[in-house]
Amino acid sequence: MSKNSVVVPEAREALDRFKMEAANEVGVNLKQGYNGDLTSKQAGSVGGQMVKKMIQQYESNMK
């Protein structure tokens, strides 16, 4: 089993939607599939926004 294998297919779809939402919030235009043309700054801002949103959601669930 590879590290990137999908155990729950619905989880992959949800993560892809989450990634697209985060990209829209930081003004990065993602397309379905390969996005290797993004700069490191753009990719990092999408990943950072995803982490920020995950932390906010976790903190709101703790209350």
Side-chain angles (χ1 to χ4, degrees), residues 38-58:
L38 293 179
T39 66
S40 296
K41 182 177 181 178
Q42 290 171 316
S45 65
V46 172
Q49 182 68 8
M50 290 174 71
V51 171
K52 180 180 176 181
K53 289 174 64 83
M54 284 186 255
I55 291 170
Q56 287 172 341
Q57 186 175 19
Y58 179 79

Side-chain angles (χ1 to χ4, degrees), residues 17-50:
R17 283 192 306 273
F18 182 63
K19 186 185 337 179
M20 293 297 242
E21 182 182 315
N24 285 333
E25 290 173 2
V26 293
V28 175
N29 191 13
L30 287 184
K31 51 192 174 285
Q32 292 294 335
Y34 181 72
N35 283 285
D37 56 338
L38 293 179
T39 66
S40 296
K41 182 177 181 178
Q42 290 171 316
S45 65
V46 172
Q49 182 68 8
M50 290 174 71

